[in-house]
Amino acid sequence: MARGQQSLFDVTPEPWDLDAAELQTVASVVFPTGPEGPFDYDVPDQFNDPGAPHTLVEPGRRLRVPFGRGERTALGYCVDVAPKRAGGRRLKSILGVVDAQSLLSPAMLRLTRWMADYYLCPWGQVLEAVVPAGVRDRAGTRQVRLLVPIEGAIQRFEELKLRSKQQRRALELLAASEEPLLPAELAQRTGCSEAPIRALVKRRLVATRPSRAATGRTAPAVPRPLEGRPEAARPLSLNADQQAALNRIVTALDGGAAAGLLLHGVTGSGKTEVYLRAIEHVASFGRQAVVLVPEISLTPQTVRRFQERFSRVAVLHSHLSDVERHQHWQRIARGEVEVVVGARSAVFAPTPHLGLIVIDEEHETTFKQDIAPRYHAREVAWQRAQAERIPLVLGSATPSLESWQRALTGEFDLISLPQRVMNLPMPHAMTVDLRDPGPTKFGGGAITRPLLQAMHHALRDGGQVILLLNRRGFSTHIQCPACGFVLKCEHCDLALTYHRAHAAALCHYCDYETPPPARCPDCQSSAIRYNGLGTQKLEAEVKARFPQYVCARMDVDSTRQRGSHDKLLSAFQRREIQVLLGTQMIAKGLDFPNVTLVGVVNADTALHLPDFRAAERTFQLVAQVAGRTGRGRRGGRVLVQTLNPEHPAIAAAVRHDFARFARHELRVRQAGNYPPFAAMARIVVRGPGEASARESAAHLRDRIERSVSKHAATAGVRILGPAVAPIARLRGDFRFHLQLHGGSSELLNRVIRDAQSGYVTPPGVRWIVDVDPWDMQ
């Protein structure tokens, strides 16, 4: 037999077959930054004692370990503990255990491992993103020392002939306690000061161990954007379609298996009530539910609906302090919460008894994270649902084409709510063709004659109006008509937006700010113009045309202060505001029966962007904002101003016809081999030098091509680029991108992983991989 060849009779012994002396307990550790790992460390006996659970090394806890030649102390996550054969290489030993309990369950560790593999992100970086900073930093707690009884302490007390009755009583109380006590707690129970207790510690009759205790600052049980707790509300009556939808979800809940259900209901069809009934069913047998909603949909209305029906609700959003987030995390992990309502990251809520995941408005782009790990909450939720054998319900009036295709192919079950509640009709919608000089040449403003007349009628009759313009600022660019100069950001290849409220030209990507020029910097012409339309300019026009009505603007600039978003919506609900205008923030999740008119000031803002999802996003935005009206008995109208009234996305949106749009757009996607018919990954290379960034992108393409040629299954893989990115320069870096299409995501990931192995970019050049990209800029 050739040297090194394994015999059929050579059996590798299992760990339990080895002599105990040949084994050592080894912890595998990954780090949030630096090399990916995992790295193996020896676990000393002091950290391997089940009798000391606070210092026990186990998966999900953070450890202090020596790293590198310099033996610097690093913080890492333990992802595995197992007995291994003691090899010739001596392992470094763990220095300490950071967490008193595991931060991540075995199921969550498996989920993050999948995320690391699928989204091509280091495992440690994924773990750092999953565990909130407030939890990692133990916000709201302080370091304390707990008192622990010592066996035989009372006998030793008598041998020392100590006579203090208080100290003896303290020893007896500590021995009888089921858990360690703080010195102040023991002193209070004994009825003495802390001095006798400290004396016991000094005499080594009482042991101490480090721990953490609350600082006394506590968050409310549920952070409430509304004052007071709403009274319990009676469930609304379900119509036939809602009851049928609920029955199918309950069947899936009772089935004990993973199931994906796409709840496609027109705007105002009562999807939320179906969610609430399904969650009540889950809670009735002691299970928990996680409900994901877009951040901008976490309105007082949304939160109130859940608080009225459930007594134990945790609301997770970006405005929580670290202390509040940490306390919510602990309450959820202890099973004290029935329903977790939150934005994208709530998919990682540490629910020990999870029974249902719901994603409302599942088409929203905010469910995709734009920094590493670049995960999509829908895909992570589906993986978690499959692992925990529970249903995932996706709800939307305008589903993403990825979810719709899954429903068409049978991977997800399709449930329809085709009618609005109370048989209310869909609002009448029509387009205003901006190419027609009749309605457009009217006063020189953004509001055409038909829209102006409709606003007059709606406001005169006591209705409210919503106007959508998905552009911030006053003027979208500053240009000289004499020489064509456009004022651009010094760090980005983008025109600056003029904000009149701040008298400044701003970059919406890097926050660069400069005073607007009085004269053209190139030709010194004084005829420089402020062109384009933003929400600030629209607000000024509305206030000038309707001075007798209250108008409010809702965009990022007007809602920076905490609570301002909720304050505006509450005032609109009380009808203190008659005209609400803004960006896409006003198009989501609002239910105001008194809104009788919605105007889309410019439906074309995103229609022609270099993004294969541009038509889908345009349809979704127009259809969603159109659904904000007609929710009461007074009905509603929608006017859509556009230069492209015949475009399939706009034509379908004004007809409230998602199926028609989906049929057309899916044919386009299939012809171009774009998702959902093919996997896709985007690589962006950036650097301060244009030449080095371009060369690195070209070199990376060469490596990818070589990697593709190695794999027989990559015949259908297509590589596009490198090309200049749509935003050629951003935050001082020149940008080039590549796209990979075809096959499966696993295949593309294998190709990219092979190509990046050993690849080192020039100094200053960086690159990222975005699997299933949603941002093509």
Side-chain angles (χ1 to χ4, degrees):
M1 185 169 60
R3 183 180 179 182
Q5 183 175 347
Q6 188 177 19
S7 167
L8 292 175
F9 301 100
D10 292 338
V11 180
T12 301
E14 299 291 347
W16 51 82
D17 293 327
L18 297 174
D19 187 88
E22 299 180 29
L23 292 176
Q24 64 183 130
T25 303
V26 175
S28 297
V29 178
V30 295
F31 299 99
T33 58
E36 289 194 27
F39 298 90
D40 286 346
Y41 286 87
D42 176 58
V43 180
D45 291 341
Q46 69 188 92
F47 301 125
N48 198 24
D49 181 8
H54 57 286
T55 59
L56 181 66
V57 171
E58 64 176 346
R61 296 197 192 192
R62 290 174 298 166
L63 309 176
R64 283 191 298 272
V65 297
F67 189 76
R69 294 183 179 178
E71 300 287 312
R72 66 179 178 85
T73 300
L75 204 66
Y77 290 86
C78 176
V79 295
D80 186 39
V81 179
K84 294 185 180 180
R85 185 197 294 268
R89 182 171 60 89
R90 186 178 67 86
L91 295 178
K92 298 177 182 180
S93 295
I94 289 167
L95 301 176
V97 179
V98 176
D99 305 302
Q101 59 187 12
S102 178
L103 301 180
L104 299 139
S105 66
M108 191 59 67
L109 284 171
R110 290 190 293 270
L111 181 65
T112 54
R113 175 74 264 185
W114 173 85
M115 289 175 61
D117 292 339
Y118 186 83
Y119 292 107
L120 298 174
C121 183
W123 195 1
Q125 194 172 3
V126 175
L127 293 173
E128 192 80 346
V130 166
V131 181
V135 177
R136 298 196 305 269
D137 299 337
R138 293 163 288 188
T141 65
R142 55 188 173 88
Q143 185 75 37
V144 296
R145 300 200 71 82
L146 293 176
L147 303 178
V148 182
I150 296 177
E151 187 175 354
I154 295 178
Q155 181 181 353
R156 175 65 176 158
F157 180 86
E158 293 174 347
E159 291 174 355
L160 293 174
K161 298 182 179 180
L162 300 176
R163 299 181 179 179
S164 171
K165 294 182 179 180
Q166 291 177 329
Q167 289 182 331
R168 183 182 179 88
R169 176 63 175 160
L171 289 176
E172 292 172 347
L173 288 171
L174 185 61
S177 176
E178 296 181 355
E179 56 186 15
L181 299 174
L182 291 168
E185 292 175 329
L186 184 56
Q188 183 181 17
R189 295 185 186 187
T190 307
C192 66
S193 67
E194 291 188 36
I197 309 299
R198 289 195 293 269
L200 290 174
V201 174
K202 189 174 182 179
R203 290 179 182 275
R204 298 185 180 178
L205 295 173
V206 172
T208 65
R209 67 172 172 84
S211 183
R212 300 193 72 84
T215 59
R217 296 159 52 199
T218 57
V222 177
R224 301 189 186 283
L226 299 173
E227 295 183 2
R229 170 145 183 225
E231 296 181 1
R234 293 182 179 179
L236 301 175
S237 298
L238 300 183
N239 60 30
D241 292 330
Q242 288 175 303
Q243 188 62 55
L246 177 62
N247 292 343
R248 292 180 63 179
I249 296 173
V250 168
T251 299
L253 287 168
D254 294 341
L261 303 105
L262 177 59
L263 180 59
H264 174 224
V266 298
T267 56
S269 58
K271 295 184 289 294
T272 302
E273 184 61 30
V274 175
Y275 304 152
L276 291 169
R277 293 289 189 94
I279 295 170
E280 286 176 346
H281 183 77
V282 169
S284 69
F285 49 87
R287 303 296 291 273
Q288 298 165 288
V290 171
V291 182
L292 304 185
V293 298
E295 178 81 30
I296 56 177
S297 294
L298 272 173
T299 63
Q301 280 187 322
T302 302
V303 174
R304 183 186 290 273
R305 291 286 298 275
F306 286 93
Q307 290 174 349
E308 288 173 341
R309 302 283 278 276
F310 304 98
S311 58
R312 296 178 293 155
V313 180
V315 183
L316 305 180
H317 52 79
S318 61
H319 294 301
L320 288 180
S321 68
D322 284 347
V323 174
E324 291 172 325
R325 193 172 291 277
H326 183 204
Q327 291 175 343
H328 278 314
W329 179 277
Q330 296 294 342
R331 291 178 59 238
I332 294 168
R334 291 193 297 265
E336 298 173 2
V337 170
E338 292 175 299
V339 187
V340 179
V341 183
R344 178 180 60 228
S345 61
V347 71
F348 304 117
T351 47
H353 311 297
L354 186 60
L356 173 67
I357 303 175
V358 175
I359 304 183
D360 191 29
E361 308 292 359
E362 67 86 27
H363 64 278
E364 273 294 318
T365 59
T366 53
F367 286 125
K368 169 76 171 179
Q369 180 152 294
D370 57 1
I371 59 173
R374 293 174 172 81
Y375 69 91
H376 197 295
R378 181 186 62 231
E379 302 306 318
V380 175
W382 180 226
Q383 287 296 318
R384 188 173 183 184
Q386 291 179 94
E388 304 205 26
R389 300 179 61 81
I390 61 173
L392 167 67
V393 176
L394 306 174
S396 178
T398 56
S400 65
L401 291 182
E402 285 80 1
S403 296
W404 186 253
Q405 181 64 14
R406 281 172 158 173
L408 294 180
T409 58
E411 182 180 355
F412 289 168
D413 290 335
L414 179 61
I415 305 174
S416 295
L417 295 176
Q419 301 292 329
R420 284 189 157 185
V421 295
M422 298 185 295
N423 291 319
L424 293 174
M426 296 298 292
H428 173 69
M430 60 173 287
T431 57
V432 178
D433 191 345
L434 295 179
R435 298 169 299 184
D436 183 355
T440 56
K441 291 186 177 180
F442 173 71
I447 301 174
T448 60
R449 179 180 283 108
L451 180 55
L452 183 71
Q453 293 172 345
M455 290 177 67
H456 273 298
H457 292 152
L459 295 171
R460 182 192 61 200
D461 294 341
Q464 291 171 287
V465 176
I466 287 178
L467 298 179
L468 170 72
L469 176 62
N470 209 22
R471 283 285 184 270
R472 292 165 51 200
F474 191 85
S475 300
T476 56
H477 60 282
I478 302 172
Q479 187 173 23
C480 174
C483 68
F485 166 83
V486 175
L487 185 65
K488 289 191 174 183
C489 176
E490 289 188 357
H491 311 292
C492 308
D493 187 25
L494 293 165
L496 296 179
T497 300
Y498 174 59
H499 286 246
R500 190 168 70 170
H502 302 93
L506 301 176
C507 176
H508 290 166
Y509 282 81
C510 74
D511 295 328
Y512 170 76
E513 180 176 341
T514 187
R519 307 180 73 88
C520 175
D522 278 7
C523 71
Q524 299 304 311
S525 171
S526 60
I528 196 161
R529 292 178 181 173
Y530 295 76
N531 297 323
L533 176 68
T535 50
Q536 291 180 9
K537 184 182 287 187
L538 178 62
E539 179 186 24
E541 181 179 348
V542 171
K543 287 182 175 179
R545 293 185 182 275
F546 299 94
Q548 69 274 37
Y549 298 104
V550 179
C551 171
R553 170 172 53 89
M554 179 177 287
D555 55 25
V556 172
D557 304 302
S558 65
T559 57
R560 293 189 185 277
Q561 293 185 350
R562 184 172 181 174
S564 56
H565 179 265
D566 301 338
K567 190 180 298 184
L568 271 174
L569 291 180
S570 296
F572 191 64
Q573 186 174 32
R574 294 191 300 266
R575 304 185 186 182
E576 297 169 4
I577 297 170
Q578 286 76 51
V579 181
L580 180 65
L581 65 91
T583 56
Q584 59 180 339
M585 297 175 71
I586 66 172
K588 324 289 182 178
L590 305 181
D591 186 3
F592 299 118
N594 197 49
V595 173
T596 57
L597 175 66
V598 164
V600 181
V601 176
N602 187 348
D604 309 327
T605 52
L607 191 57
H608 302 297
L609 293 176
D611 185 338
F612 72 94
R613 289 193 175 92
E616 181 181 9
R617 288 175 178 164
T618 297
F619 171 84
Q620 290 167 345
L621 185 59
V622 174
Q624 287 287 338
V625 74
R628 299 314 104 199
T629 187
R631 290 172 173 251
R633 293 293 184 185
R634 303 175 65 178
R637 295 181 62 199
V638 183
L639 269 71
V640 180
Q641 298 183 166
T642 174
L643 289 165
N644 300 272
E646 69 284 346
H647 192 283
I650 293 175
V654 297
R655 291 177 173 84
H656 312 288
D657 192 347
F658 172 80
R660 171 181 174 177
F661 168 75
R663 285 194 299 271
H664 174 272
E665 188 64 15
L666 285 174
R667 288 195 296 268
V668 173
R669 297 277 186 91
Q670 190 169 23
N673 201 32
Y674 277 93
F677 297 99
M680 183 177 177
R682 182 177 185 238
I683 299 174
V684 179
V685 181
R686 67 186 191 277
E690 183 176 7
S692 60
R694 180 188 293 109
E695 291 170 3
S696 297
H699 183 48
L700 189 56
R701 179 191 170 110
D702 293 340
R703 294 178 66 94
I704 292 173
E705 286 181 333
R706 288 196 295 269
S707 177
V708 168
S709 65
K710 293 180 184 178
H711 300 279
T714 57
V717 173
R718 179 178 57 163
I719 308 171
L720 301 179
V724 177
I727 301 179
R729 188 165 175 260
L730 188 64
R731 301 181 183 93
D733 284 339
F734 293 91
R735 306 168 73 242
F736 297 85
H737 68 154
L738 303 92
Q739 293 179 18
L740 278 73
H741 296 244
S744 64
S745 294
E746 290 74 16
L747 176 60
L748 295 187
N749 291 358
R750 198 181 317 137
V751 167
I752 295 171
R753 195 176 289 111
D754 182 45
Q756 73 179 5
S757 177
Y759 177 53
V760 179
T761 59
V765 176
R766 301 171 301 283
W767 62 290
I768 62 99
V769 180
D770 191 1
V771 177
D772 302 336
W774 283 71
D775 181 5
M776 303 302 294
Q777 299 300 303

